[in-house]
Amino acid sequence: MKALVTVMPKPSVLDPQGAAAAEAIRHHGLEKVGRVRIGKVIELELPDGAPEALLHEISRDLLSNPVIEDYELEIVEK
Amino acid sequence: MKALVTVMPKPSVLDPQGAAAAEAIRHHGLEKVGRVRIGKVIELELPDGAPEALLHEISRDLLSNPVIEDYELEIVEK
Amino acid sequence: MKFSVLQFPGSNCDQDCVHVLNAMPGASANFVWHKDSSLGGCDAVVVPGGFSYGDYLRCGAIARFSPIMQAVKEFAASGGPVIGICNGFQILCESGLLPGALVRNRGLHFICEHVWLRVESSDSQFTNAIPTGRLLNIPIAHGEGCYFADDATLERLNQNGQILLRYTDAEGVDSESGNPNGSRENIAGIRNEAGNVFGLMPHPERACDPLLGSTDGLLIFESMIGQAAEVAAA
Amino acid sequence: MTELTPEIIAKHGITPDEFERIREILGRDPNFTELGVFSVMWSEHCSYKNSKLELKKFPTTGPRVLVKAGEENAGVIDIGDGWAIAFKMESHNHPSAVEPFQGAATGVGGIIRDIFTMGARPVFSMNALRFGDIRGDSTEARTNRRLFAGVVAGIAHYGNCIGIPTIGGEVYFDDSYAGNPLVNVFCLGILRHEQIARGAASGIGNPVFYVGAETGRDGLAGAAFASRELTEESKQDRPAVQVGDPFREKLLLEACLELLASGCVAGIQDMGAAGLTCSTCETASRGGTGVEIDVNLVPKRESGMTPYEILLSESQERMLVIVKKGEEAHVRAIFEKWDLPYAEVGIVNDDGMMRVREGDVVAVEIPARKLADDAPLYAREAAPKVLPPALDLDALPEADCHAALPALLAHPSIASKAWVWRQYDHMVRLGATVLPGSDAAVFIVREANKILAASTDCNAIYCRQDPREGARIAVAEAARNIACTGAIPLAVTDNLNFGNPHKPENFLQIREAVEGLAEACERFGTPVTGGNVSLYNESPAGAIDPTPTVGMVGIVEDPAHITTQFFKTVGDAIILVGEAGDELGASHYVLAIHGKKAGLPPKLDYDRELAVQEGVRVAIRSGLVQSAHDCSEGGLAVALAESCMSGPSPLGARVEIPSTSTRADVALFNESQSRILLSVEAAKADAVLALLHQRGVPVCRLGTVTSGAQLEVGAAGQSFVWPLDELRKAWTSAIPDLMEP
Ligand SMILES: Nc1ncnc2c1ncn2[C@@H]1O[C@H](COP(=O)(O)OP(=O)(O)O)[C@@H](O)[C@H]1O
Ligand SMILES: [Mg+2]
């Protein structure tokens, strides 16, 4: 199985990278682009049956920092 | 509408950050974790009907580095 | 005063800290390896700057889980003084020993330069040798030194006088132009509520030699050493 | 097994003659893997086949030389009290053109490995950069800005993370580098004499260890890649781009230094260009032995890699270590302490062969010494030397000099580079006592308690107009920058950046520049300890201007001698050492204001240059000097402005330039050599003038440091007043405004 952890900056945290990207995108011809936010995706290859609770713990404690980020965990069985 | 651009290191390209994360995850109790790869997600708020061709161009030329990264563009109408 | 200077894989200011501390009267410093689980009977801990674990994932995110950090938590809980410099500050925040977090500089660039800092309170074991309001000239060198905490936390920090250092311009005003990285309220250094854990982005160890342009960094280490002497005397 | 068609052979850059030579060496046809091995080892990058005959002209010996250029990965120079330094400069031009961030980062990683392979602890780095013009809105200008930003960020990323301060360098912008940027990186390390490590596979039966990052398909045949012209097609060779991991390299650095200190190592060699191939055959060749390895044992990042791919991979952060038999356990413990992948991959034997097995199958079997040292050498044809005509002043209208100075200060090549070095951690290791932004950097090496000065220099316009004179001046300017800090020059490393050597006009430039460097290094008593050659620097638009970059290191004998370039105190006397000069040829004034590269570069008079430098050094060491700054691009006027502006608090100046010409532009902006601008306490002015007179050095008092917020200059009967904040704005904001509008 596979897990996809998406980590996004909290709305209250300033995201200068996102702002810079928005600027560049406008220059690139998409004047009307709205807010741009940049986060991380972490893709984990996992042994089948890896405990979901542990995955949440890892996503919360290691892969993201609750003070500034929110995470989403998606498990892709295959 | 919204666009989600996911940018991942090319499979053949070294991903030191992913390797370091994998190590840390193992120490965290998930000994059997396989390959870990880390990329970015860019979330764009867009005016409806933003031209998809332009979005692809922006994803390729601005948001990703084709030399070492691949991107995926997903459009979320709402 | 016996300092233990932590060494994580990727630490790179560890040797500088040991060099400076060993040259100070009343102080001695040793390295402590991240895989150790004991601090080796020291009086104070220095979490030095650098790029622990390459700063991968987030600055300090992986170092936080090293065996030695368990010992540091216990040491801090028992009231032992801990100072975290630059990456060390980031590690202390990640470990929850200090509130808030450090994020990417507003300008997106790594910045290495001398900055001005205002000492907000001399009522701490890290600043007691420095009059409140005194300006310090100490260098910064970081890409992710923008201090963030939510409003509630900031209010607490202010109320408890936990903010020890603010960035200012040359006139000592904590202005936008004096804020190198976009930190909230120009915060450069804070202590924990108990007062024994201190984190700062600037590098005091780089301002301890006239040949390097400033000796203001000594004041912070002298505060710690003086404090220890008093405690010992009492 | 792939059969070797002429196409395949050609694609490996092997000529029919070279292929014949290979068949003689082997006494049979090479197989596909062996062809790959020869192609990288015999590429220009590894074999210097087109330049070696020229490089032999460099002076490489001297009383301080402990390890000569070429003997090992880097030369080693004695600095006294049992301490020595190892330093070298290397280019990563082509990779940086394709991927600026990673290309520059891995360049830094490579030069750092060269230094700690010698057993030295790297203590500082520098970088010499060249880009196309970054001004304007053309796609080309945008590309050049992207390359500039990417390269600087890549150098910062690697150097800052590994904790080696980047304390100096230079950046020039010129159309000739459009599409072909130059990234030359320098690193210096410190070691005890007895710590010098050798890259030789000595001791028959000693095990061969591989340590560091796993091998992947990245950087496949990068050496071959670096030895070709950049075409649209080669930009498609994108897998050739490597990604650096400064964190891994930091662990590798600490592990290797600990390993070398343990006395368990018989030989050590980094895997740079041509990776595993180069390190195995070179260690064997140096040791006069053979090395046998099994690629099945090599740690790999990807599955299904062929011996060809494994041998030619240029994955970064890897070393080959020949361990003294019996010490294996000790060595393993050190690698494990530092969490590094490692494997025992082979053994040293006595048959002189580089033998590579894949399990029981022998994939490569080549006489190591012939592979490493018997690459063909070519004496290329040089075009006859024709110098351009001298600058015709009458055809050059005198520009509005009042506008010209701010314009020159705002020219990206002259403007403040703070935007660059602010991104580099230049303070880690507590050594940077003269920060970037003065002539040469000055660095305290704490472990040795020695103070070093270092500078990189090359004016490529001079070299374009007259490569020989330009190369001489590059050495002279580096020595002058060193002298201005109060230091004594020790030795030189160089990086020869040129176009395709098969073109006679390019080869002429190479030969002229090398002979100019060699002659100047003789005269300044600074042997060449090593360096790097980067040829084929051509874009569709043509070859770059010849750019023989010089990196010079000097030593400061007493902290009291350390001197910076900026004015210190109001009322100090401003003194010019050397003559006012009148040579405008090939100057930045002619380039930036009149838009051409025209005329002959200034003439260098060695005796004058040496007298000026020694005179200034003596004055500094006698405690008479407040500041010293050399005159380079933009001449005396730019030097004056820099001395006013580059300090913590700007100071004004009032000066009168003794006129050598009726033209103010000549007086202000000429780039005649052998000139240093001093400021000294008013009371000591006469002493300084006397001291220099008596040494036969031309010297005159120009004026005084003022509290005024302006620079006031009288020249050729005209007088100019420039508000400092105007000059300062032009100089400091030029690059930030271009990069972050
Ligand atoms: N790429 C760079 N990295 C670090 N420092 C640099 C770089 N480029 C320029 N500098 C610094 O800026 C100052 C001016 O450089 P330069 O104009 O070449 O001086 P000079 O003309 O005296 O040789 C020097 O201190 C130099 O080290
Ligand atoms: Mg120069």
Side-chain angles (χ1 to χ4, degrees):
Chain A
M1 68 192 245
K2 249 190 184 189
L4 273 185
V5 183
T6 309
V7 178
M8 277 295 184
K10 279 194 187 343
S12 57
V13 180
L14 83 155
D15 174 14
Q17 238 179 323
E23 222 6 69
I25 290 170
R26 282 188 202 99
H27 281 272
H28 213 88
L30 195 54
E31 289 76 11
K32 292 214 192 44
V33 71
R35 181 160 200 212
V36 175
R37 298 195 316 138
I38 301 189
K40 291 199 278 269
V41 247
I42 302 112
E43 187 191 275
L44 317 176
E45 282 167 14
L46 295 171
D48 292 345
E52 186 156 346
L54 180 55
L55 290 173
H56 272 288
E57 184 192 314
I58 287 172
S59 305
R60 195 187 58 245
D61 297 350
L62 177 66
L63 302 181
S64 72
N65 176 349
V67 177
I68 46 172
E69 298 165 326
D70 301 315
Y71 78 89
E72 254 175 46
L73 170 65
E74 181 191 347
I75 288 175
V76 198
E77 307 288 349
K78 58 160 186 340
Chain B
M1 67 193 249
K2 252 189 177 188
L4 273 186
V5 183
T6 309
V7 178
M8 277 291 179
K10 283 188 196 294
S12 65
V13 168
L14 175 69
D15 175 14
Q17 174 153 234
E23 236 351 83
I25 291 170
R26 277 182 207 107
H27 285 287
H28 224 86
L30 236 183
E31 289 77 11
K32 291 216 191 43
V33 71
R35 185 167 197 196
V36 174
R37 298 191 320 137
I38 301 188
K40 357 183 226 295
V41 248
I42 304 103
E43 187 190 275
L44 315 173
E45 281 167 11
L46 296 169
D48 292 344
E52 185 158 344
L54 180 57
L55 290 174
H56 273 287
E57 188 186 310
I58 286 171
S59 307
R60 194 187 58 244
D61 300 350
L62 276 186
L63 304 178
S64 73
N65 177 351
V67 180
I68 49 178
E69 298 169 324
D70 300 320
Y71 76 90
E72 251 176 47
L73 171 65
E74 179 191 350
I75 289 175
V76 198
E77 306 290 348
K78 61 159 188 328
Chain C
M1 181 175 217
K2 277 184 63 203
F3 288 85
S4 281
V5 177
L6 308 191
Q7 282 187 307
F8 297 100
S11 295
N12 64 32
C13 302
D14 46 341
Q15 293 162 357
D16 295 354
C17 289
V18 165
H19 172 87
V20 163
L21 289 167
N22 278 330
M24 290 185 71
S28 69
N30 298 310
F31 295 111
V32 174
W33 188 236
H34 65 110
K35 290 176 185 174
D36 295 350
S37 46
S38 146
L39 287 163
C42 64
D43 309 311
V45 170
V46 179
V47 192
F51 286 68
S52 57
Y53 294 91
D55 276 357
Y56 295 136
L57 274 181
R58 284 179 322 283
C59 307
I62 303 179
R64 164 194 170 188
F65 294 102
S66 322
I68 196 64
M69 283 310 292
Q70 198 46 46
V72 172
K73 281 184 180 155
E74 285 153 20
F75 182 76
S78 66
V82 177
I83 180 173
I85 300 166
C86 198
N87 192 234
F89 185 14
Q90 294 162 337
I91 293 169
L92 293 178
C93 289
E94 282 282 339
S95 326
L97 286 168
L98 288 172
L102 293 139
V103 299
R104 190 86 177 264
N105 291 352
R106 178 175 45 189
L108 296 175
H109 290 303
F110 187 99
I111 306 173
C112 177
E113 69 186 3
H114 280 267
V115 298
W116 289 104
L117 305 168
R118 189 179 62 220
V119 175
E120 300 295 76
S121 161
S122 62
D123 175 19
S124 95
Q125 51 180 294
F126 306 96
T127 52
N128 57 39
I130 321 170
T132 300
R134 157 92 192 257
L135 293 189
L136 306 178
N137 173 333
I138 294 182
I140 56 169
H142 59 250
E144 308 198 353
C146 174
Y147 182 76
F148 173 85
D150 59 32
D151 300 347
T153 312
L154 280 181
E155 200 178 328
R156 250 188 303 115
L157 289 175
N158 280 299
Q159 273 165 4
N160 308 339
Q162 290 175 247
I163 300 167
L164 297 185
L165 298 173
R166 278 197 166 90
Y167 300 106
T168 71
D169 52 32
E171 282 65 51
V173 183
D174 47 351
S175 58
E176 268 309 284
S177 66
N179 185 344
N181 53 28
S183 293
R184 292 200 78 181
E185 293 192 12
N186 286 45
I187 289 173
I190 57 167
R191 63 166 175 83
N192 65 347
E193 209 160 339
N196 63 312
V197 179
F198 176 40
L200 72 168
M201 286 314 294
H203 284 273
E205 81 278 13
R206 297 184 183 186
C208 295
D209 178 347
L211 283 174
L212 300 184
S214 168
T215 55
D216 290 351
L218 286 171
L219 296 170
I220 289 173
F221 297 123
E222 280 165 1
S223 298
M224 296 178 73
I225 295 165
Q227 178 85 17
E230 277 169 39
V231 174
Chain D
M1 184 42 100
T2 330
E3 164 227 358
L4 301 186
T5 64
E7 296 66 40
I8 289 187
I9 294 166
K11 202 166 182 309
H12 280 79
I14 296 287
T15 66
D17 295 3
E18 289 170 349
F19 190 71
E20 265 322 298
R21 190 183 185 114
I22 292 170
R23 296 186 60 239
E24 279 165 33
I25 289 174
L26 296 177
R28 57 177 167 87
D29 279 4
N31 62 41
F32 181 68
T33 307
E34 289 168 333
L35 178 70
V37 166
F38 273 102
S39 80
V40 289
M41 287 309 297
W42 287 8
S43 69
E44 177 63 30
H45 192 86
C46 293
S47 72
Y48 295 93
K49 59 187 171 189
N50 294 299
S51 50
K52 211 178 208 144
L53 295 172
E54 294 302 313
L55 299 181
K56 290 193 161 79
K57 296 171 180 170
F58 286 139
T60 57
T61 55
R64 288 178 178 271
V65 176
L66 301 177
V67 174
K68 272 176 60 186
E71 261 177 49
E72 295 284 347
N73 293 279
V76 179
I77 295 291
D78 176 21
I79 57 168
D81 304 322
W83 289 99
I85 51 176
F87 63 93
K88 188 177 179 189
M89 189 153 44
E90 266 217 313
S91 66
H92 232 210
N93 303 340
H94 292 76
S96 304
V98 176
E99 211 313 275
F101 184 97
Q102 293 297 346
T106 50
V108 173
I111 191 65
I112 290 172
R113 277 195 301 286
D114 269 328
I115 297 309
F116 70 78
T117 303
M118 295 304 301
R121 172 171 287 280
V123 290
F124 67 76
S125 304
M126 300 194 287
N127 56 105
L129 311 177
R130 302 289 188 282
F131 303 93
D133 199 335
I134 55 172
R135 294 168 299 182
D137 255 336
S138 63
T139 17
E140 199 179 61
R142 260 185 253 116
T143 307
N144 294 333
R145 287 196 288 268
R146 183 181 58 80
L147 290 170
F148 176 38
V151 164
V152 169
I155 291 169
H157 165 69
Y158 210 103
N160 297 353
C161 180
I162 196 168
I164 296 167
T166 305
I167 61 167
E170 60 185 357
V171 193
Y172 289 81
F173 303 90
D174 184 273
D175 291 334
S176 89
Y177 305 107
N180 198 321
L182 302 186
V183 176
N184 294 178
V185 287
F186 169 108
C187 185
L188 177 142
I190 184 86
L191 70 165
R192 302 284 309 166
H193 289 188
E194 61 274 14
Q195 286 174 333
I196 297 172
R198 298 288 174 170
S202 50
I204 308 306
N206 278 341
V208 175
F209 277 73
Y210 169 115
V211 60
E214 298 85 352
T215 296
R217 289 192 172 87
D218 40 17
L220 262 187
F225 175 70
S227 309
R228 266 186 282 134
E229 280 181 43
L230 272 189
T231 62
E232 272 323 301
E233 184 220 30
S234 67
K235 293 205 172 130
Q236 298 314 313
D237 301 0
R238 280 182 165 168
V241 173
Q242 316 118 320
V243 168
D245 183 355
F247 170 60
R248 263 292 170 74
E249 176 127 322
K250 168 72 171 170
L251 303 185
L252 194 58
L253 156 67
E254 297 298 341
C256 288
L257 291 181
E258 189 172 333
L259 197 65
L260 288 164
S262 74
C264 301
V265 175
I268 184 167
Q269 171 81 53
D270 66 306
M271 297 190 211
L276 201 48
T277 299
C278 187
S279 52
T280 44
C281 70
E282 278 190 358
T283 48
S285 169
R286 283 207 198 92
T289 55
V291 168
E292 174 165 332
I293 62 168
D294 181 349
V295 290
N296 286 349
L297 303 174
V298 170
K300 299 174 207 63
R301 202 172 74 238
E302 296 171 67
S303 51
M305 291 182 73
T306 65
Y308 181 97
E309 291 176 315
I310 295 165
L311 286 172
L312 270 59
S313 162
E314 292 190 354
S315 295
Q316 299 290 298
E317 293 92 27
R318 304 179 299 164
M319 305 283 276
L320 195 76
V321 185
I322 290 96
V323 173
K324 292 178 183 164
K325 191 150 191 47
E327 302 288 358
E328 292 86 343
H330 194 158
V331 168
R332 286 194 165 86
I334 291 173
F335 293 151
E336 274 154 25
K337 169 185 174 188
W338 291 99
D339 302 314
L340 288 165
Y342 69 91
E344 184 174 339
V345 295
I347 186 166
V348 178
N349 59 35
D350 60 3
D351 66 7
M353 287 287 170
M354 170 195 182
R355 188 176 299 102
V356 177
R357 288 187 291 102
E358 185 181 26
D360 311 332
V361 187
V362 172
V364 171
E365 194 166 31
I366 306 173
R369 171 155 290 152
K370 291 199 171 331
L371 175 60
D373 304 342
D374 289 5
L377 292 184
Y378 299 111
R380 296 284 169 206
E381 178 204 347
K385 179 170 185 175
V386 266
L387 288 177
L391 184 69
D392 173 7
L393 262 187
D394 306 332
L396 189 85
E398 176 169 343
D400 167 358
C401 293
H402 191 274
L405 178 56
L408 271 166
L409 290 170
H411 186 283
S413 296
I414 292 177
S416 165
K417 305 301 187 303
W419 184 86
V420 174
W421 45 260
R422 195 165 167 259
Q423 296 184 53
Y424 300 153
D425 184 347
H426 45 274
M427 300 184 192
V428 65
R429 300 195 63 78
L430 309 181
T433 171
V434 174
L435 303 182
S438 200
D439 275 321
V442 180
F443 192 89
I444 307 164
V445 183
R446 298 285 171 182
E447 38 276 278
N449 191 25
K450 296 280 181 189
I451 304 174
L452 301 175
S455 175
T456 69
D457 289 283
C458 177
N459 180 319
I461 302 175
Y462 296 174
C463 295
R464 174 182 190 270
Q465 302 303 92
D466 180 348
R468 182 176 295 261
E469 196 68 21
R472 289 178 179 137
I473 288 175
V475 177
E477 187 185 345
R480 203 182 311 134
N481 284 330
I482 300 268
C484 286
T485 67
I488 303 159
L490 291 176
V492 156
T493 178
D494 68 283
N495 205 324
L496 303 174
N497 307 274
F498 294 88
N500 181 344
H502 297 263
K503 301 178 186 168
E505 65 276 20
N506 292 345
F507 193 72
L508 172 73
Q509 295 177 336
I510 298 172
R511 169 171 298 162
E512 286 284 305
V514 167
E515 290 176 357
L517 287 180
E519 179 192 294
C521 288
E522 280 292 353
R523 292 303 303 269
F524 288 93
T526 51
V528 174
T529 66
N532 174 250
V533 178
S534 171
L535 304 180
Y536 305 92
N537 289 290
E538 308 217 355
S539 63
I544 59 164
D545 286 352
T547 313
T549 316
V550 168
M552 188 182 284
V553 178
I555 188 157
V556 180
E557 289 180 336
D558 178 341
H561 301 161
I562 298 168
T563 306
T564 50
Q565 75 177 26
F566 48 88
F567 294 146
K568 304 291 186 300
T569 326
V570 175
D572 284 354
I574 300 172
I575 288 174
L576 175 66
V577 185
E579 268 162 6
D582 60 3
E583 296 156 290
L584 266 191
S587 67
H588 266 62
Y589 165 76
V590 172
L591 175 79
I593 308 300
H594 296 278
K596 35 184 171 176
K597 300 175 183 173
L600 291 167
K603 280 262 158 284
L604 178 69
D605 171 338
Y606 288 112
D607 299 323
R608 164 68 56 83
E609 182 70 49
L610 288 160
V612 164
Q613 290 184 21
E614 187 55 22
V616 165
R617 205 162 18 238
V618 170
I620 288 175
R621 293 160 68 103
S622 323
L624 296 170
V625 176
Q626 293 266 62
S627 76
H629 185 23
D630 87 301
C631 299
S632 58
E633 291 81 13
L636 191 50
V638 164
L640 279 163
E642 287 176 342
S643 291
C644 289
M645 299 183 302
S646 56
S649 44
L651 286 173
R654 189 180 306 109
V655 301
E656 179 67 37
I657 301 178
S659 282
T660 45
S661 152
T662 55
R663 286 178 58 155
D665 56 353
V666 174
L668 292 167
F669 305 124
N670 83 76
E671 295 182 8
S672 288
Q673 294 298 297
S674 316
R675 297 185 299 166
I676 294 175
L677 189 67
L678 303 181
S679 68
V680 309
E681 286 170 28
K684 295 180 178 166
D686 293 338
V688 173
L689 295 172
L691 183 152
L692 289 156
H693 271 309
Q694 162 220 51
R695 305 180 63 93
V697 180
V699 61
C700 67
R701 175 167 182 169
L702 292 184
T704 308
V705 177
T706 66
S707 58
Q710 51 204 29
L711 171 59
E712 301 163 62
V713 180
Q718 301 182 47
S719 58
F720 302 90
V721 178
W722 289 284
L724 275 189
D725 46 18
E726 183 193 324
L727 297 182
R728 197 181 163 89
K729 196 183 169 319
W731 184 66
T732 55
S733 56
I735 289 178
D737 288 353
L738 287 167
M739 300 307 291
E740 275 140 60

